[in-house]
Amino acid sequence: MIVIVRENVAPEGLDELCGYLRSQDVEPHVIVGQKQTVVGLIGDTTSIDIHHLESMGQVASVRRVSEPFKKANRQFHPDDTVVEAGGVEFGGGSFGVMAGPCSVESEEQCMIVAEAVKQAGATVFRGGAFKPRTSPYAFQGMGEEGLAILSKVKREFGMPVVSEIMDARDLPLFDDVDILQVGARNMQNFSLLKELGKTDKPILLKRGLAATIEELLMAAEYIMAGGNGRVMLCERGIRSYDTRTRNVFDVSAIPVLRGLTHLPIIADPSHATGRTRLVAPVAYAAVAAGADGLEVEVHHDPAHAASDGAQALLPGQFDEMMRRVSMVRSAVTEPLAVL
Amino acid sequence: MIVIVRENVAPEGLDELCGYLRSQDVEPHVIVGQKQTVVGLIGDTTSIDIHHLESMGQVASVRRVSEPFKKANRQFHPDDTVVEAGGVEFGGGSFGVMAGPCSVESEEQCMIVAEAVKQAGATVFRGGAFKPRTSPYAFQGMGEEGLAILSKVKREFGMPVVSEIMDARDLPLFDDVDILQVGARNMQNFSLLKELGKTDKPILLKRGLAATIEELLMAAEYIMAGGNGRVMLCERGIRSYDTRTRNVFDVSAIPVLRGLTHLPIIADPSHATGRTRLVAPVAYAAVAAGADGLEVEVHHDPAHAASDGAQALLPGQFDEMMRRVSMVRSAVTEPLAVL
Amino acid sequence: MIVIVRENVAPEGLDELCGYLRSQDVEPHVIVGQKQTVVGLIGDTTSIDIHHLESMGQVASVRRVSEPFKKANRQFHPDDTVVEAGGVEFGGGSFGVMAGPCSVESEEQCMIVAEAVKQAGATVFRGGAFKPRTSPYAFQGMGEEGLAILSKVKREFGMPVVSEIMDARDLPLFDDVDILQVGARNMQNFSLLKELGKTDKPILLKRGLAATIEELLMAAEYIMAGGNGRVMLCERGIRSYDTRTRNVFDVSAIPVLRGLTHLPIIADPSHATGRTRLVAPVAYAAVAAGADGLEVEVHHDPAHAASDGAQALLPGQFDEMMRRVSMVRSAVTEPLAVL
Amino acid sequence: MIVIVRENVAPEGLDELCGYLRSQDVEPHVIVGQKQTVVGLIGDTTSIDIHHLESMGQVASVRRVSEPFKKANRQFHPDDTVVEAGGVEFGGGSFGVMAGPCSVESEEQCMIVAEAVKQAGATVFRGGAFKPRTSPYAFQGMGEEGLAILSKVKREFGMPVVSEIMDARDLPLFDDVDILQVGARNMQNFSLLKELGKTDKPILLKRGLAATIEELLMAAEYIMAGGNGRVMLCERGIRSYDTRTRNVFDVSAIPVLRGLTHLPIIADPSHATGRTRLVAPVAYAAVAAGADGLEVEVHHDPAHAASDGAQALLPGQFDEMMRRVSMVRSAVTEPLAVL
C-alpha cells in the first residue's frame, strides 16, 4: 500500500502518521521527493481500512498495491480449483454445461427438456424454483413444489441439478439440490453469502448487474472465508448504456479472472444477451476466451415459457450449439503442431 | 403496449397473435402500414410478460407505453405522500435531515454526535449496527449491541432513529428502530423487501449501485404491494466510469422521481461522493433540485471512525451545512414576488 | 413511429396533432384506449424530428418503430457488403487480418514487423502516423514521414496499408493509404465523416468510447450518405466502470450488428483490452462470435514502442494467435455433419 | 509515480529497471518488502509513458501519484482564472449566463429570443450555426448565414455571442463570435483543439459524452499547451445506463473540478436533461454546487424549433429560473452570520 502525503505536512505530522501505521502492524518506508512525499507500507495490509487512512489530515490519497482477496487469489493458490458436484467437475481442464428452463413450470416440461439437454451433452440440469423478478406482479416461481420436480429429474436422468436460492431461510429446502445459485441481484447480499459459507454445497455465484471483477471476487471471498471453498464464478453480462442487448457480456472478464483466481469460471450467454439469436455466438465467444463451463436456458416451447422465453434455445438449437461449442473448445485448447 | 409485427407475417399469423392477446384480456388494434404492421393494446397490460410476447414468432419487438409500477405511481395517487416516523415528517412540503455516524461504535460516540446534530437541526439520528462491507475481513458492525445504543440515544434526545437492516431474520431486533433502511446492495433483495412489506415501519429504500429509476420504483412497489405504503426513496449516487468520486450523484433523478411518484425523495450526499469536501456542495444541489430530506454522515473524530471516516462531516461542518441548506431550500420554495 | 398522447387532451388538440403529422407526409392512426390514446404513424418517418414532436403540448412521449439508418440497414440491402482494399476483401465470407505496430516509429521497425506479420498470414499492414493521444505532451506520431514509410512497406511486401486520419485537411497525404481509419474519438467528428463520404477509399470506422450501436451505424450513415459505401465497422471496446481492462470488449455487438447491417464487422482486441495477455483470448472470442476480420498490434520490441507497447504482441505470439484464429473460424463456419 | 515490481525479479532485473528510469531523468527509490517490491519515482514524471513502463518484463503495474495536467492544474496556479469575453466575465466570483436557441433559425427568431433573455439577465447570447446531429438527414444548421445573424444580434443588443465550431477550417468565419464552443462529440478532436490553442478566443469546452474529469482537463490542456489559456469547462451530463433523462448531470464534477483546476466551470442543464421540465431544477443544483455560469436553451416557440425544442425554456420560464438562480447563488456564497 502506498500513502501519498499532502503537501506542507510538517515532520511531526509525518511522524504521527508513521506511528499510526506501526500501530497497525505495518512498517512505513518514507520517500521524500521534490514535490511529493510518499510512504510505502511493507507487511500484510489487508486489515487496513483505506477510507480510514484517507481521512487522516496528513494523507492526500492511498493506492493499494496488493489484492484485497486472499482465499480466492491465485497468487496464494496457483493451481486451478476443481469443483465437483454430483459427479460432474468444473475447472482444471474439466468443462461442463448446465442447461434447462429459466423457471420450473411443470414436471412434464422439465422431463421433456431434461431428456433433450442430456442427449445433447449437458452435464447439469438447471431450473429456477424461486425467481427474482423485477415486478412483484410477475410469476415468482413454483417454490418448494418446483424443487420437488427437480429432485424427480435428478433421479430420472441421473443428472445433478442447479437452482437459485434467494433467502437463507430456504436452505433446508435445497438439501437435494447439487449446486446453489446466487443470482446477480444477491451478489452482495452478505447475509446470504455468509450462510452459504457455512454449507459444503457448490455455489454458482453470478456477477452483479454492475459489479466490478474485484467485487465479484470479494463476494466469493465472503463464502470462502466461512469455510466453503467450492465456489464457481459466473459472468452473465453487465449493465451498459446500450439498449440493443439486455446487458453487455464482458468476455474479457474470463481471461482477467483466470489470472486473478483459481476458481472455475462459468458463462451465462442467455441472461447476458436476452435474445435467442445471440445466445450461441456469445456462448462460442465465452468458450473461445477460456470459460470452464456454460449455463444456458433451453425450453421446448419458449412462446409459452413462464419467464424469459425470449432468450431460451429450442432443443434443436441447443444441440447444434453444443456441437460447435465442442469444436471451439478444441480450437483453443488442443496443442498446436510444432512447425 | 405496442407490438411491432415482423415483416411477412401471414394474415393467419396475425390472427393467432390477436387471439393470444385477447386471451390475456387486452384488446388488440391492428394498424397495417406500407412497411410495418403494429398492434396497439388497449386495457390493463401490467400482467403481460413482455419477454414472453417478444419470443413469439410473429413479433419483432414490443414497446411499453404505460408504467409498470402502480402503487408508487403519481398518476394514480396525485398527492404527495407524507411519511411520518417518530413524530417527524418527510414529503408533502416537510423536510427533514437524518444525521449521525456511519457505524455505531460506542455509546459515548453516539451521544456526542447526537447532541451535536440535534443542536444543528437534524430531525432523525442515523447509525449503522449491521454494516454491509465489501470485504468479509472488515468491521461488520456492532449488531444487536449497536441497536441498544441507538435506543438509548432515542430516549436521551427524543429523536427517532434510522438504521440499516440486512436480513429479514433480524426484524425482531429492530422493534425500537423508527425507520428501517434498505441499503443499495439489497435494493433487489426481494425476500427482504417482501418481509418489510408486511410491517408497518417507515422504510428508507436506497437506490442500487446501478439501478435504473424504474427499478428503484419497482423495488418500492414490492414493499407497497405487501401492504406497507410508508416508503421513502433515497438517491445515493450511481456507478459510473469515472474514478474521481465514489459514485455519480444523479441529481436529476430528484425531479424525475417527483414527476413519476408521490413518495418522499431523500438524498444521501455522503455515500454519493465518499469525500468530506464534496458532501456540502452535493447536499445543496440535492436540496436545490427539490429533495424532501437528507441523510448525512457526521462524526466527531472521523480519523478514528470504524467505517467511512473519509466522508464524514465534523459537527462544525455539519452545522454550517445545515444553515446553508435552509437558505437554499428557501431559495427554491418561497413564492416569487409578483413583478 | 408511435406517439403517446397526454391524458386529458381535448379532441381539438388531437386534431391539431394529426394535422401537423399529415403536414409532415405521414398518416396518423389514432387508437383511443381507456387510459391512454396513442397515434400510430404510417409512412416514411425518417425525416420527423422526435425531439420536436415530444415538445408538442399534446404529446407525452414518442417511440420509434423503424431504424433511423437507411444505407447501412440490412433490411434494405440483405446481402453482405464486401469491402475490397488493395486486392484484399472483408465481409461476405472473406476474413482478413490487419496487423502492425500502433505507431510508425522507423523504417527499420516497420520492415521487421511487416515481414513477420505477412509470414503469419496478415493481409493488411497497420501503422499509425498521426496519433490521437490523451496528453498533448505525449508522442503525436511521425506524420507525413510516417506515411512515406508505410508506402515503402506497401511496395516492399505487396500488402495494402491502413492508417488513421484525424483531420480532413490531411486527406491529400493519404493518397497511397489503402484504408483510412477513423479513431474512436473521432467517430462523431461529423465534418471529417462528411469529407470521407466524398472519397472512394475504404473506411475503417471505430466505435466511439461510449457510442451505442445505433450511433456507430449513424456515423457510418454519414459516410454512406455522401456516396462512399465502402465502410467497415470496428468494435474496439467500450467504456465501463471496471478498471481491470482498459475497456469492455462488447462481443455481442458483433452478432447484433450482423443482424442490423450488411457492412463488414472488424474487431480490435488490442485497444479493447490494453494488455498483451488478453489480446489472443479476446481475438478468439471475436472470431467465434462471427467477426469478418481483426486489427491487431504487433511489435518486435514492445518495451521500446513509442505508444501502447503494453498491448502489442510479439511476432511469435501473433503467429500462434493466427493459427488458433483459423481453427476457431473453422469451428464456427464449417458445415456440421448431418447426424 | 510508483512502479510495482513483479515477483521473483532477480537483482539484475531490478538494476536494469532502475537504469532505464534514470535514463528518463527520474530517480528511483527501491522499497523491498516481504511479498512485494516497489520503486518510487522522484522528479518530473509527466514525460514517462505509463503503458511503456507497464510493458517491461520486470513491472507488474504502475500507479500515478501526481496529475498529468499542468497548465490547467490548480496546484501550479492557485488563483481562479477569470475568462473575459466581450466585456463579460466568468470565474473568480463572476457569474454569467449564456442563453438563446439551440439553433439559429432566422433573424426574427434570434431577435425575439435575445431581447427576452437579455431582459431576464443573461449576459451572453447563444445560438448554433453549425449543428452536430446524430443523423446526416437532420437539419445541419444555417452555417455562415447563421453566424451573420449572430453578428446582428450582437450589435443590436450589445451582448457577446457564443457558437459552436466543428471544423478548424471554419475558423475565419468565427471572427465576430466572442466565445467558441467545442461540443461534447469533439472534446477529443485533437486537431481542432490544437488550432484553437493558436487563437486568443475564449473557448467553452464541453465534456465528452462519457469523458472522465481527467480527460476533460487533458482536452483543456491541449488548448492551453498551444498558448490559449482562456478556457471554460462545461459539464453537460454524461452517458449512463438509465433512459429517463438524456444524460446524467454529474453535479459533483463541479466541486471536484473546483479542487483540481483554476478554470471557470459552466453547467449546461438543457443538454444534460433533454427535457424542459428538468432544466430549472438542474440549473439550481448546478449553481448550488458552485458553478460559475450556465448555458441554457431558450426559444419563444419550442414546438417549432429546428432542433432540441423538447429541452428549451419559454422566455417566461427562463425569467423565473433566473430569479431563483440568483437566490440560490446568494444562499451558497453570501457570508454566514457569526453566531
Side-chain angles (χ1 to χ4, degrees):
Chain A
M1 199 174 277
I2 303 292
V3 180
I4 295 136
V5 178
R6 272 187 212 279
E7 288 184 279
N8 308 324
V9 166
E12 307 80 55
L14 200 55
D15 286 352
E16 192 189 330
L17 172 64
C18 291
Y20 167 74
L21 291 167
R22 283 195 200 93
S23 77
Q24 302 292 309
D25 290 326
V26 293
E27 186 51 36
H29 277 60
V30 177
I31 310 173
V32 180
Q34 291 160 291
K35 287 192 290 192
Q36 207 110 33
T37 295
V38 302
V39 181
L41 306 187
I42 304 299
D44 180 7
T45 58
T46 45
S47 64
I48 291 188
D49 186 338
I50 284 192
H51 293 310
H52 189 143
L53 204 51
E54 284 178 332
S55 71
M56 296 183 70
Q58 300 95 329
V59 176
S61 66
V62 181
R63 312 273 160 118
R64 214 164 48 199
V65 165
S66 59
E67 302 293 358
F69 44 94
K70 293 193 279 197
K71 290 179 187 290
N73 196 333
R74 185 178 283 278
Q75 216 179 335
F76 309 129
H77 186 308
D79 293 335
D80 285 352
T81 283
V82 179
V83 171
E84 184 275 339
V88 172
E89 293 189 340
F90 293 89
S94 292
F95 182 88
V97 176
M98 314 183 205
C102 181
S103 297
V104 173
E105 294 159 20
S106 71
E107 188 176 326
E108 189 202 1
Q109 169 228 29
C110 284
M111 291 296 171
I112 293 173
V113 176
E115 182 164 19
V117 300
K118 183 170 186 181
Q119 188 148 354
T123 48
V124 175
F125 185 71
R126 68 146 285 155
F130 295 89
K131 301 298 305 171
R133 304 301 298 274
T134 304
S135 168
Y137 310 120
F139 175 59
Q140 308 275 315
M142 291 181 74
E144 197 166 353
E145 195 185 344
L147 294 177
I149 292 173
L150 289 180
S151 288
K152 285 191 189 167
V153 168
K154 182 176 166 172
R155 281 193 300 276
E156 179 79 17
F157 294 98
M159 293 174 90
V161 295
V162 57
S163 198
E164 177 164 352
I165 183 163
M166 293 174 63
D167 192 323
R169 294 172 298 183
D170 294 335
L171 257 175
L173 306 177
F174 281 75
D175 259 0
D176 199 34
V177 174
D178 301 276
I179 305 174
L180 304 186
Q181 179 171 312
V182 177
R185 287 168 187 77
N186 277 319
M187 192 200 83
Q188 291 192 315
N189 178 341
F190 299 124
S191 297
L192 178 60
L193 299 180
K194 284 179 183 174
E195 291 295 330
L196 296 178
K198 296 176 194 161
T199 74
D200 64 351
K201 291 270 193 189
I203 309 294
L204 180 63
L205 177 64
K206 295 210 154 182
R207 183 176 180 183
L209 295 176
T212 61
I213 287 174
E214 185 172 311
E215 286 168 342
L216 172 60
L217 289 167
M218 292 308 288
E221 196 79 16
Y222 258 93
I223 300 168
M224 299 173 89
N228 182 359
R230 304 172 75 191
V231 180
M232 297 183 271
L233 307 172
C234 184
E235 165 61 32
R236 44 79 72 207
I238 54 174
R239 184 145 275 180
S240 95
Y241 57 84
D242 208 332
T243 53
R244 294 278 174 175
T245 45
R246 194 182 297 182
N247 300 286
V248 165
F249 182 77
D250 182 6
V251 74
S252 56
I254 297 169
V256 169
L257 283 168
R258 182 71 69 222
L260 294 172
T261 186
H262 50 88
L263 299 174
I265 305 158
I266 311 298
D268 173 352
S270 304
H271 284 89
T273 61
R275 309 223 163 238
T276 301
R277 195 175 75 68
L278 305 175
V279 172
V282 169
Y284 304 151
V287 173
D292 297 307
L294 296 172
E295 187 178 37
V296 180
E297 287 185 15
V298 180
H299 200 289
H300 65 296
D301 184 12
H304 295 93
S307 62
D308 281 342
Q311 71 199 29
L313 296 185
L314 286 165
Q317 295 168 320
F318 179 68
D319 186 67
E320 180 180 333
M321 186 202 86
M322 287 295 281
R323 292 164 72 193
R324 290 213 190 268
V325 157
S326 163
M327 293 158 72
V328 172
R329 193 163 149 72
S330 294
V332 294
T333 57
E334 70 184 25
L336 287 177
V338 180
L339 293 188
Chain B
M1 197 174 280
I2 303 293
V3 180
I4 295 135
V5 178
R6 270 188 213 281
E7 288 184 279
N8 307 324
V9 166
E12 306 80 55
L14 200 54
D15 286 351
E16 193 190 329
L17 173 64
C18 291
Y20 168 74
L21 292 166
R22 284 195 198 93
S23 76
Q24 303 292 309
D25 290 328
V26 292
E27 186 51 37
H29 276 59
V30 178
I31 310 174
V32 179
Q34 289 161 292
K35 286 191 291 190
Q36 207 113 33
T37 296
V38 304
V39 181
L41 305 187
I42 304 301
D44 180 5
T45 59
T46 46
S47 64
I48 290 189
D49 186 337
I50 284 193
H51 293 310
H52 190 142
L53 204 50
E54 284 178 331
S55 72
M56 295 182 71
Q58 300 94 330
V59 176
S61 65
V62 181
R63 313 275 159 115
R64 216 165 45 201
V65 164
S66 59
E67 302 292 359
F69 43 96
K70 293 193 280 197
K71 291 180 187 290
N73 195 333
R74 184 179 284 278
Q75 215 178 334
F76 309 127
H77 187 307
D79 292 336
D80 285 353
T81 284
V82 180
V83 172
E84 183 273 340
V88 172
E89 293 188 342
F90 292 87
S94 293
F95 182 89
V97 177
M98 315 183 204
C102 181
S103 297
V104 173
E105 293 160 22
S106 71
E107 188 175 325
E108 190 201 2
Q109 170 229 29
C110 284
M111 291 295 173
I112 294 173
V113 176
E115 181 164 20
V117 300
K118 183 170 187 181
Q119 187 145 357
T123 48
V124 176
F125 185 70
R126 69 146 285 155
F130 295 89
K131 301 299 304 170
R133 304 299 300 273
T134 305
S135 169
Y137 311 119
F139 174 60
Q140 307 278 315
M142 292 180 76
E144 198 167 352
E145 197 185 342
L147 294 177
I149 293 174
L150 288 181
S151 289
K152 286 192 188 165
V153 168
K154 181 175 166 173
R155 282 193 299 277
E156 179 78 18
F157 294 98
M159 292 174 92
V161 294
V162 56
S163 198
E164 177 164 353
I165 183 163
M166 292 174 63
D167 193 324
R169 295 172 298 185
D170 294 334
L171 257 175
L173 305 177
F174 281 75
D175 260 0
D176 199 34
V177 174
D178 300 276
I179 305 175
L180 304 186
Q181 179 171 313
V182 176
R185 287 168 189 77
N186 277 320
M187 191 199 83
Q188 291 192 316
N189 179 342
F190 300 123
S191 297
L192 178 60
L193 299 180
K194 285 179 183 173
E195 291 294 330
L196 297 178
K198 297 176 193 161
T199 73
D200 64 351
K201 290 270 192 189
I203 310 295
L204 181 63
L205 177 64
K206 295 209 155 185
R207 183 176 180 183
L209 295 176
T212 61
I213 287 174
E214 185 173 311
E215 287 169 342
L216 173 59
L217 289 168
M218 292 308 289
E221 194 80 15
Y222 258 94
I223 300 168
M224 299 174 89
N228 182 358
R230 304 172 75 191
V231 181
M232 296 184 273
L233 306 172
C234 184
E235 165 61 33
R236 45 77 73 206
I238 53 174
R239 184 145 276 177
S240 94
Y241 57 83
D242 209 335
T243 53
R244 295 277 174 174
T245 45
R246 195 184 293 182
N247 299 287
V248 164
F249 182 77
D250 183 7
V251 74
S252 56
I254 297 169
V256 169
L257 282 168
R258 182 70 68 221
L260 294 172
T261 186
H262 50 88
L263 299 173
I265 304 158
I266 311 298
D268 172 352
S270 304
H271 283 89
T273 61
R275 310 223 163 239
T276 300
R277 194 176 75 67
L278 304 175
V279 172
V282 169
Y284 304 152
V287 173
D292 296 306
L294 296 172
E295 187 178 36
V296 180
E297 287 185 15
V298 179
H299 200 289
H300 66 295
D301 184 11
H304 294 93
S307 62
D308 281 343
Q311 71 200 30
L313 297 185
L314 286 164
Q317 295 169 320
F318 178 69
D319 186 66
E320 180 180 333
M321 187 203 84
M322 287 295 282
R323 291 164 71 193
R324 290 213 190 269
V325 157
S326 162
M327 292 159 73
V328 172
R329 194 164 149 71
S330 295
V332 294
T333 56
E334 70 184 25
L336 287 178
V338 181
L339 294 189
Chain C
M1 198 174 276
I2 303 293
V3 181
I4 295 136
V5 178
R6 271 186 211 281
E7 289 185 278
N8 308 324
V9 167
E12 306 80 56
L14 199 56
D15 286 351
E16 192 190 331
L17 173 64
C18 290
Y20 168 75
L21 291 166
R22 284 195 199 94
S23 77
Q24 302 291 308
D25 290 328
V26 293
E27 186 51 37
H29 277 59
V30 177
I31 310 175
V32 180
Q34 291 160 293
K35 284 192 292 192
Q36 206 110 34
T37 295
V38 303
V39 181
L41 305 188
I42 304 300
D44 180 7
T45 59
T46 46
S47 63
I48 291 188
D49 186 338
I50 284 193
H51 293 311
H52 189 142
L53 204 51
E54 284 178 332
S55 71
M56 295 183 71
Q58 299 95 331
V59 176
S61 66
V62 180
R63 311 276 160 115
R64 215 165 46 200
V65 164
S66 58
E67 302 293 358
F69 44 95
K70 293 193 280 194
K71 290 179 188 290
N73 196 332
R74 186 179 281 279
Q75 216 178 334
F76 309 129
H77 186 309
D79 293 336
D80 285 353
T81 283
V82 179
V83 171
E84 183 275 339
V88 172
E89 293 188 341
F90 292 88
S94 293
F95 182 87
V97 177
M98 315 183 206
C102 181
S103 297
V104 173
E105 293 160 21
S106 71
E107 187 176 327
E108 190 201 0
Q109 169 230 28
C110 284
M111 292 295 171
I112 293 172
V113 176
E115 182 164 19
V117 299
K118 183 171 187 181
Q119 188 147 356
T123 48
V124 175
F125 185 71
R126 69 145 286 155
F130 294 89
K131 301 299 305 171
R133 305 300 299 274
T134 304
S135 168
Y137 310 120
F139 174 59
Q140 307 278 314
M142 292 181 75
E144 197 167 353
E145 197 184 343
L147 294 178
I149 292 173
L150 288 181
S151 289
K152 285 192 190 168
V153 168
K154 181 176 166 172
R155 280 193 300 275
E156 179 78 16
F157 294 98
M159 293 174 90
V161 295
V162 56
S163 198
E164 177 165 352
I165 184 163
M166 292 174 63
D167 192 323
R169 293 172 299 183
D170 294 335
L171 257 175
L173 305 176
F174 281 74
D175 259 1
D176 200 33
V177 174
D178 300 278
I179 304 174
L180 305 185
Q181 179 172 313
V182 177
R185 287 168 187 78
N186 278 319
M187 191 200 83
Q188 290 192 316
N189 179 341
F190 299 124
S191 297
L192 179 60
L193 298 180
K194 284 179 183 174
E195 291 295 329
L196 296 178
K198 296 176 194 162
T199 73
D200 64 352
K201 291 271 193 188
I203 309 295
L204 180 63
L205 178 64
K206 296 209 154 182
R207 184 175 180 184
L209 295 176
T212 61
I213 287 174
E214 184 173 311
E215 286 168 343
L216 173 59
L217 289 168
M218 291 309 287
E221 194 79 14
Y222 257 95
I223 299 169
M224 298 173 90
N228 182 359
R230 304 172 75 190
V231 180
M232 296 184 272
L233 306 172
C234 184
E235 165 61 34
R236 46 76 74 205
I238 54 174
R239 184 146 274 179
S240 95
Y241 56 83
D242 208 333
T243 52
R244 294 278 174 173
T245 46
R246 194 182 297 180
N247 299 286
V248 164
F249 182 76
D250 182 6
V251 74
S252 56
I254 296 171
V256 169
L257 282 168
R258 182 70 71 220
L260 294 172
T261 186
H262 51 88
L263 299 174
I265 305 158
I266 311 299
D268 173 353
S270 304
H271 283 89
T273 61
R275 310 222 164 241
T276 300
R277 195 175 77 66
L278 305 175
V279 172
V282 170
Y284 305 151
V287 173
D292 297 305
L294 296 172
E295 188 178 35
V296 181
E297 288 185 15
V298 179
H299 200 289
H300 65 296
D301 185 11
H304 294 94
S307 62
D308 280 344
Q311 71 200 31
L313 298 184
L314 285 165
Q317 295 169 318
F318 178 69
D319 186 65
E320 181 179 332
M321 186 203 87
M322 287 295 281
R323 291 165 72 191
R324 289 212 190 268
V325 157
S326 163
M327 293 158 71
V328 172
R329 193 163 150 71
S330 294
V332 293
T333 57
E334 69 184 27
L336 288 177
V338 181
L339 294 187
Chain D
M1 198 174 277
I2 303 292
V3 180
I4 295 134
V5 178
R6 270 186 212 282
E7 289 184 279
N8 307 323
V9 167
E12 306 80 56
L14 200 55
D15 287 352
E16 193 190 329
L17 174 63
C18 291
Y20 167 74
L21 292 166
R22 282 192 200 95
S23 78
Q24 302 292 307
D25 290 328
V26 293
E27 186 52 35
H29 276 60
V30 177
I31 311 173
V32 180
Q34 291 160 291
K35 286 192 292 190
Q36 206 112 33
T37 296
V38 302
V39 181
L41 305 188
I42 304 300
D44 180 5
T45 59
T46 46
S47 64
I48 290 188
D49 185 338
I50 284 193
H51 292 311
H52 190 143
L53 203 51
E54 284 178 333
S55 72
M56 295 183 72
Q58 300 95 331
V59 176
S61 66
V62 180
R63 311 276 160 116
R64 217 166 43 199
V65 164
S66 59
E67 301 293 358
F69 44 95
K70 293 193 280 196
K71 290 179 188 291
N73 196 333
R74 185 179 283 280
Q75 214 178 336
F76 309 128
H77 186 307
D79 293 336
D80 284 352
T81 283
V82 179
V83 171
E84 183 275 338
V88 172
E89 293 188 342
F90 293 88
S94 293
F95 182 87
V97 177
M98 314 183 206
C102 181
S103 297
V104 173
E105 293 159 22
S106 71
E107 188 176 326
E108 190 200 359
Q109 168 228 30
C110 284
M111 291 295 172
I112 294 173
V113 177
E115 182 163 19
V117 299
K118 183 169 187 181
Q119 189 147 354
T123 49
V124 176
F125 185 72
R126 69 145 285 154
F130 295 89
K131 301 298 305 171
R133 305 300 299 273
T134 305
S135 168
Y137 310 119
F139 175 58
Q140 307 278 314
M142 291 180 76
E144 198 167 352
E145 197 185 344
L147 294 178
I149 292 173
L150 289 181
S151 288
K152 285 192 190 168
V153 168
K154 181 176 168 174
R155 280 193 301 275
E156 179 77 17
F157 294 98
M159 292 174 92
V161 294
V162 56
S163 198
E164 177 165 352
I165 184 163
M166 292 175 62
D167 191 324
R169 294 173 299 184
D170 294 335
L171 257 174
L173 306 176
F174 281 75
D175 260 1
D176 199 34
V177 175
D178 300 277
I179 304 175
L180 304 186
Q181 178 171 314
V182 177
R185 287 167 188 77
N186 278 319
M187 192 200 83
Q188 291 193 316
N189 178 343
F190 299 124
S191 297
L192 178 60
L193 299 180
K194 285 180 183 173
E195 291 294 329
L196 297 178
K198 296 176 194 162
T199 73
D200 64 351
K201 291 270 192 187
I203 309 295
L204 180 63
L205 178 65
K206 296 208 154 184
R207 184 175 181 185
L209 295 176
T212 62
I213 287 175
E214 185 174 310
E215 287 169 341
L216 172 59
L217 289 167
M218 292 307 289
E221 194 79 15
Y222 257 94
I223 300 167
M224 299 173 89
N228 182 359
R230 304 172 75 190
V231 180
M232 296 184 272
L233 306 172
C234 183
E235 166 61 32
R236 43 81 71 207
I238 54 174
R239 184 146 274 180
S240 95
Y241 57 83
D242 209 333
T243 53
R244 295 277 174 175
T245 45
R246 195 182 296 181
N247 299 287
V248 164
F249 182 76
D250 183 6
V251 73
S252 56
I254 296 169
V256 169
L257 283 168
R258 182 70 69 221
L260 293 172
T261 186
H262 49 89
L263 299 174
I265 304 158
I266 310 298
D268 172 351
S270 303
H271 283 90
T273 61
R275 310 224 163 238
T276 301
R277 195 175 76 67
L278 304 175
V279 172
V282 170
Y284 305 151
V287 173
D292 297 306
L294 296 172
E295 187 178 36
V296 180
E297 287 185 15
V298 179
H299 200 289
H300 65 295
D301 184 11
H304 294 94
S307 63
D308 280 344
Q311 70 200 29
L313 298 184
L314 285 165
Q317 295 169 319
F318 178 69
D319 185 67
E320 181 178 333
M321 186 203 86
M322 287 295 282
R323 290 164 73 191
R324 291 215 189 266
V325 157
S326 162
M327 293 159 72
V328 172
R329 193 164 149 71
S330 294
V332 294
T333 56
E334 69 185 27
L336 289 177
V338 181
L339 294 188

